[in-house]
Amino acid sequence: MKVLVAVKRVVDFNVKIRVKPDGSGLDLAGVKMSMNPFDEIAVEEAVRLKEQGVASEVIAVSCGSAACQETLRSALALGADRAMLVETDVELEPLAVAKLLASIAEREQPQMIILGKQAIDDDCNQVGQMLAALTAMPQATFVSKVTVNDRHATVTREVDGGLETLRLRLPAVITTDLRLNEPRYATLPNIMKAKKKPLDVLTPAELGIDVTPRLALLKLAEPPRRSAGIRVPDVATLLEKLKNEAKVI
Amino acid sequence: MTAPTKVLVIAEHDHVSLKKATRHAVTAALACGSDVHVLVAGHGAEGVALEASRLSGVSHVLHADGPALADHLAENLSTQVLALAHSYSHVLFPATSNGKNVAPRVAALLDVAQISDIISVIDAQTFERPIYAGNAIATVRSGDKVKIITVRTSAFDAVDAEGGAASIERMVTVDDSGLSTLMGREVARSERPELASARIVVSGGRALGSSEKFLDVLTPLADKLNAALGASRAAVDAGYAPNDWQVGQTGKIVAPQLYIACGISGAIQHQAGMKDSKVIVAINKDPEAPIFEIADYGLEADLFDVVPQLAAAL
């Protein structure tokens, strides 16, 4: 079966971001960008399905600026067979991405689509669910285990209070949680090979999708800073402070 | 703006009782409009519908009771909500794992944007939400006819569980989509307060060293304080604590009165889940640990010495 995996280029998770003083956006000049960590897990899972002989082809897709080609090359170096970029400079909202991916799914007819549960930049946690809705596929979000057999997938989800197991009719959409797997590193020979793998570039217009944002960003602000606290020398002082100063116990 | 503001809250429940997350979402709903309805979708959840009808500020409860809704499956529940959504200006879900699972599906079916994890309602069209692990707060305005929203429960107080007298209306339920089936659930049973709504949270990191030590050291303190137990991602990944104890950007977001971080260095991703706590205590051997930058009270010491001392002194 064919597996589609969606990847997003985001500010690296280790970067401490800064809001521009005028509140118009983030200061991203010279900031390190990487593949969204949940998407690395998604690619890893797709590649493992291929290694198990379950998947026949893994297609990595990204939506955004030309620079996303880099992210797609990383996915190819990790084991994806080919890549597609839907190129646009419009700031894409989850609904737009879901529509673009639905349109690609329509063309490619994958049996499984794997996405990260959320992107660490907008922290939305929406695209997988929206894509499932638009393609009328079943969904399993926050997945920590996947087994595929013939026409179904059995998945374990991380939910509040524990775990649940679902059986999904294929084709299906799955979003990855942290504990699904440990993504591999790309080796140098695979990075070199990835440069030769096919990468198609499309536009939203070619797919017939309107990607105009629905939400207006009025302002971006730094969160309120916590005032610096104090160090206490021992347990007795800590207890005294919690009882009499903070009055929380 | 003269658009009608009828607001629907999707109740979070386990068929036995209404989850407190619902009451937090109702507070956010009342900030969007005064006519707040609650949908209780499930199978055999009459008691929950009754509980919802007593919530302060709720004027009407819709009760959808059918086998397709028994397992909170996203495919069925989203169709059920969709059947109602057009008569509302806002549909709010608590940002629980259920809410986050279903809300975007509803939004896409309605062809509207979804606003995730709001922390405040500026007006009926304008909301604040954190992005980049809480390192920036975005103010966004939605022009959509129906606004689909998930609510960060720790950012809104809970409405009173009593005092309301809403009418209850039974509604026609959807059929099973046949797309997915629940095979089983492993629910971690706990006597402790729920992590997301606990007044005090005692949280441990990788420094605890093993799952036995995690429980041995932290449980007595948590018991004394009637606190929920939490964990850093490192502690969860190492297998010292179950997944659903994880506090952080990718785990639970908590804002208790008191958060005690034991042996947690305080990475950005962890801080995203707890930095809105009223009082933060950090216990860590490393004087340079970033957690000390946001702690109200920092105790630079070996947690294996001081946590038992603290428990004993309470």
Side-chain angles (χ1 to χ4, degrees):
Chain A
M1 69 178 198
K2 215 188 251 190
V3 175
L4 201 67
V5 47
V7 295
K8 184 177 186 184
R9 179 176 182 264
V10 299
V11 172
D12 189 83
F13 76 99
N14 273 317
V15 173
K16 181 99 168 73
I17 57 105
R18 280 194 316 274
V19 175
K20 283 185 195 162
D22 66 358
S24 63
L26 291 177
D27 189 359
L28 294 180
V31 163
K32 185 186 177 205
M33 306 293 283
S34 306
M35 188 188 297
N36 181 44
F38 290 100
D39 304 349
E40 290 183 353
I41 297 172
V43 174
E44 176 66 30
E45 198 62 23
V47 172
R48 287 186 190 188
L49 287 172
K50 194 176 172 198
E51 288 167 346
Q52 289 160 20
V54 175
S56 51
E57 185 182 32
V58 175
I59 309 163
V61 187
S62 192
C63 305
S65 69
C68 298
Q69 290 206 17
E70 233 176 88
T71 317
L72 287 169
R73 290 291 169 201
S74 312
L76 293 169
L78 293 172
D81 297 295
R82 61 186 169 97
M84 297 168 97
L85 169 64
V86 184
E87 192 178 325
T88 170
D89 287 323
V90 175
E91 195 73 31
L92 295 172
E93 288 176 355
L95 182 63
V97 176
K99 286 180 179 178
L100 294 171
L101 294 175
S103 161
I104 287 178
E106 174 77 20
R107 289 185 169 202
E108 297 285 345
Q109 297 288 317
Q111 285 296 292
M112 186 176 280
I113 311 178
I114 313 181
L115 305 87
K117 79 164 175 184
Q118 80 192 57
I120 59 163
D121 52 1
D122 61 23
D123 279 334
C124 274
N125 192 335
Q126 299 176 10
V127 177
Q129 296 89 314
M130 289 180 156
L131 173 60
L134 297 173
T135 53
M137 289 186 198
Q139 70 184 50
T141 49
F142 327 139
V143 167
S144 58
K145 189 166 179 245
V146 182
T147 7
V148 181
N149 35 29
D150 206 16
R151 297 174 57 199
H152 291 91
T154 306
V155 298
T156 304
R157 302 180 57 221
E158 295 196 0
V159 295
D160 297 338
L163 299 170
E164 71 176 33
T165 305
L166 296 179
R167 190 160 180 266
L168 309 177
R169 200 168 79 191
L170 296 178
V173 175
I174 283 168
T175 76
T176 64
D177 215 319
L178 286 169
R179 277 159 287 275
L180 179 58
N181 61 46
E182 186 79 46
R184 71 193 65 189
Y185 290 100
T187 60
L188 190 57
N190 284 345
I191 294 172
M192 299 310 289
K193 270 188 242 162
K195 293 185 179 172
K196 297 202 180 73
K197 290 185 181 176
L199 193 162
D200 293 332
V201 180
L202 302 158
T203 63
E206 283 172 70
L207 295 169
I209 307 292
D210 176 7
V211 294
T212 314
R214 302 292 187 84
L215 300 176
L217 176 68
L218 302 185
K219 190 176 76 174
L220 213 54
E222 297 260 353
R225 294 235 170 273
R226 290 189 75 96
S227 49
I230 56 164
R231 303 263 173 139
V232 291
D234 50 38
V235 166
T237 318
L238 176 61
L239 262 181
E240 188 273 318
K241 295 279 185 197
L242 289 177
K243 278 185 179 150
N244 302 321
E245 196 176 87
K247 297 187 173 39
V248 283
I249 56 174
Chain B
M1 288 285 158
T2 50
T5 44
K6 255 171 77 184
V7 185
L8 182 66
V9 174
I10 312 304
E12 172 92 13
H13 67 90
D14 58 4
H15 288 91
V16 179
S17 60
L18 191 69
K19 296 278 178 191
K20 200 178 168 204
T22 315
R23 289 163 49 201
H24 294 275
V26 169
T27 301
L30 287 162
C32 298
S34 54
D35 196 8
V36 173
H37 300 184
V38 173
L39 170 69
V40 176
H43 192 39
E46 283 78 11
V48 178
L50 208 60
E51 236 185 293
S53 72
R54 292 197 297 263
L55 293 184
S56 172
V58 172
S59 56
H60 193 57
V61 171
L62 294 146
H63 183 201
D65 186 282
L69 300 169
D71 297 324
H72 304 298
L73 296 171
E75 296 79 10
N76 296 342
L77 185 51
S78 57
T79 316
Q80 188 73 49
V81 177
L82 188 69
L84 285 166
H86 291 285
S87 24
Y88 291 89
S89 60
H90 300 70
V91 179
L92 275 63
F93 296 73
T96 55
S97 54
N98 272 328
K100 290 191 271 194
N101 189 36
V102 179
R105 202 166 169 115
V106 176
L109 294 171
L110 283 167
D111 193 30
V112 301
Q114 185 208 294
I115 309 154
S116 293
D117 224 13
I118 62 162
I119 55 169
S120 81
V121 177
I122 309 284
D123 61 39
Q125 282 75 38
T126 319
F127 310 91
E128 283 186 333
R129 58 175 304 262
I131 56 173
Y132 287 91
N135 286 299
I137 309 295
T139 307
V140 296
R141 187 167 57 211
S142 163
D144 283 321
K145 204 165 154 284
V146 186
K147 289 154 193 69
I148 305 292
I149 293 169
T150 61
V151 177
R152 177 170 295 191
T153 54
S154 65
F156 295 87
D157 292 333
V159 291
D160 288 338
E162 301 290 334
S167 48
I168 302 179
E169 177 190 341
R170 289 287 281 238
M171 60 177 296
V172 180
T173 61
V174 294
D175 293 329
D176 184 26
S177 71
L179 292 170
S180 68
T181 320
L182 180 75
M183 307 298 282
R185 274 205 182 107
E186 286 172 50
V187 180
R189 287 236 74 49
S190 171
E191 308 289 300
R192 298 191 176 284
E194 250 185 324
L195 180 55
S197 56
R199 218 184 69 82
I200 301 178
V201 174
V202 173
S203 210
R206 198 183 353 222
L208 268 307
S210 73
S211 57
E212 292 75 26
K213 281 192 262 177
F214 194 99
L215 290 175
D216 285 353
V217 176
L218 299 188
T219 307
L221 179 60
D223 284 345
K224 283 278 175 65
L225 293 167
N226 189 29
L229 281 170
S232 68
R233 181 186 166 188
V236 171
D237 282 352
Y240 305 164
N243 301 348
D244 60 309
W245 288 10
Q246 186 183 323
V247 172
Q249 182 186 19
T250 58
K252 295 224 167 51
I253 314 282
V254 301
Q257 292 291 303
L258 174 60
Y259 187 90
I260 306 181
C262 308
I264 292 176
S265 66
I268 300 173
Q269 290 80 9
H270 185 75
Q271 291 191 14
M274 45 67 78
K275 69 184 162 69
D276 294 322
S277 304
K278 184 162 174 279
V279 175
I280 297 172
V281 170
I283 298 172
N284 207 303
K285 268 200 298 201
D286 174 10
E288 306 295 325
I291 192 79
F292 284 122
E293 291 162 23
I294 61 160
D296 299 279
Y297 304 108
L299 180 55
E300 191 190 315
D302 187 337
L303 71 95
F304 292 106
D305 296 333
V306 297
V307 172
Q309 279 179 38
L310 190 56
L314 280 162

